[in-house]
């Protein structure tokens, strides 16, 4: 492999995980295995083995983790608890700083019951709902806040329901 000049960038390896949909119909953890075998029927366990193999056999390790869309099935607190555990374990396995993990919500990550309650509350008070109808993001926001706790850049707040930050070490 030719050596890189001073101005060339190293390749960027991205692991993109999408549509995990933790919840009742989640595809993993459903084999009915008993302890201690149940630990092997998880999305993390299956990815872990593949990622370790790629690193050991090919020297391939992601520099950036993108988790996008539908972390949860119905936007429930327990679903986001499972998603947070998964993303945290994966981040640790990959030895990535949390700033090198991008989490993007999808349509299943809103809590429809909270959204409905917000609209009903506005209707009862004869007030106009205010976009982006923040209560629907309550449980996603909890995951986001806990995952990025203590980090300066990542923000997901009612007055800024999007996040943007630079990752200069990756030129991203």
């Amino acid at each position: 492999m030719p050596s890189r000049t001073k101005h060339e960038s190293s390749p960027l390896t991205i692991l993109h995980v999408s549509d995990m949909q933790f919840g009742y119909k989640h595809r993993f953890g459903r084999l009915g295995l008993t302890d201690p075998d149940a630990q092997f029927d998880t999305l993390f366990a299956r990815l872990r083995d593949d990622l370790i193999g790629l690193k050991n056999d090919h020297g391939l390790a992601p520099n950036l983790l993108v988790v996008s869309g539908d972390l949860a099935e119905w936007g429930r607190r327990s679903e986001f608890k499972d998603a947070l555990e998964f993303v945290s374990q994966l981040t640790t396995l990959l030895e990535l700083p949390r700033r090198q993990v991008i989490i993007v919500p999808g349509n299943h990550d809103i809590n429809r019951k909270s959204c409905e309650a917000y609209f009903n509350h506005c209707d009862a008070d004869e007030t106009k709902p205010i976009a982006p109808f923040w209560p629907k993001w309550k449980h996603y926001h909890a995951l986001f806040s806990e995952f990025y706790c203590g980090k300066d850049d990542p923000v997901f707040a009612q007055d800024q329901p999007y996040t943007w930050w630079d990752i200069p070490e990756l030129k991203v």
Side-chain angles (χ1 to χ4, degrees), residues 21-131:
Q21 292 195 10
F22 284 97
Y24 179 73
K25 294 182 182 177
H26 185 64
R27 290 187 171 105
F28 299 93
R30 302 194 100 11
L31 294 179
L33 299 173
T34 56
D35 288 332
D37 294 329
Q39 67 180 325
F40 299 108
D41 185 32
T42 67
L43 178 57
F44 175 73
R46 295 177 190 200
L47 273 176
R48 178 191 61 219
D49 295 344
D50 289 341
L51 291 167
I52 290 171
L54 286 170
K55 186 174 185 178
N56 291 341
D57 298 342
H58 304 286
L60 188 59
N63 310 94
L64 184 67
L65 172 61
V66 177
V67 180
S68 67
D70 302 344
L71 287 78
E73 185 178 4
W74 292 101
R76 293 184 176 132
R77 181 187 328 228
S78 61
E79 296 167 355
F80 282 111
K81 182 181 174 211
D82 291 342
L84 176 62
E85 181 180 345
F86 168 78
V87 174
S88 296
Q89 287 177 325
L90 192 54
T91 301
T92 300
L93 173 71
L94 298 173
E95 299 177 0
L96 290 175
R98 293 196 176 204
R99 288 184 91 280
Q100 288 176 222
V101 178
I102 311 296
I103 303 173
V104 181
N107 64 311
H108 282 261
D109 297 323
I110 62 168
N111 186 290
R112 287 171 171 77
K113 294 289 186 184
S114 292
C115 194
E116 182 181 336
Y118 173 68
F119 279 92
N120 287 336
H121 179 76
C122 290
D123 188 40
D125 289 347
E126 298 176 314
T127 59
K128 182 179 178 184
I130 301 170

Side-chain angles (χ1 to χ4, degrees), residues 109-172:
D109 297 323
I110 62 168
N111 186 290
R112 287 171 171 77
K113 294 289 186 184
S114 292
C115 194
E116 182 181 336
Y118 173 68
F119 279 92
N120 287 336
H121 179 76
C122 290
D123 188 40
D125 289 347
E126 298 176 314
T127 59
K128 182 179 178 184
I130 301 170
F133 319 118
W134 185 253
K136 69 185 178 189
W137 295 114
K138 178 181 175 183
H139 301 308
Y140 171 78
H141 179 256
L143 171 142
F144 190 96
S145 297
E146 187 171 340
F147 185 79
Y148 294 111
C149 181
K151 308 300 178 234
D152 293 334
D153 293 332
V155 174
F156 185 82
Q158 186 167 353
D159 62 340
Q160 184 182 322
Y162 58 88
T163 305
W164 181 271
W165 72 89
D166 293 324
I167 308 172
E169 58 274 22
L170 300 179
K171 298 182 181 176
V172 174

